[in-house]
Amino acid sequence: VVNDGKVYPETVLLRLIRPDGRPSVKLATSEDCSGLSLGGGVDPAYVVLDAQEGNPSLSLTNKDGQRQLIKP
């Protein structure tokens, strides 16, 4: 896939959807990265664990939208 002149590898994505239709769990992988996203309940808080091109990170977002990024 080409977008804005950059080639993106094929991606496999698995979503677990709540009864209200919102995704609560996303698991994705491609040649360059893998990631796991865990969504909160009613509020929009979520956690994202990502490993992109050998650079892992953990992103925590609370219900107020405040984000903390943790990298080694």
Side-chain angles (χ1 to χ4, degrees):
V1 176
V2 176
N3 188 4
D4 298 331
K6 184 175 179 185
V7 177
Y8 294 93
E10 290 187 36
T11 300
V12 176
L13 177 64
L14 170 67
R15 292 182 184 176
L16 299 178
I17 307 294
R18 299 185 329 209
D20 65 1
R22 292 184 59 192
S24 288
V25 177
K26 294 180 188 176
L27 178 62
T29 188
S30 70
E31 290 180 16
D32 295 337
C33 71
S34 293
L36 173 65
S37 173
L38 303 172
V42 177
D43 59 51
Y46 58 93
V47 174
V48 177
L49 180 60
D50 184 34
Q52 188 169 11
E53 297 177 351
N55 299 308
S57 66
L58 175 64
S59 174
L60 308 167
T61 305
N62 70 13
K63 66 181 179 177
D64 298 324
Q66 295 174 323
R67 181 176 174 235
Q68 181 177 2
L69 183 62
I70 301 169
K71 293 184 176 186

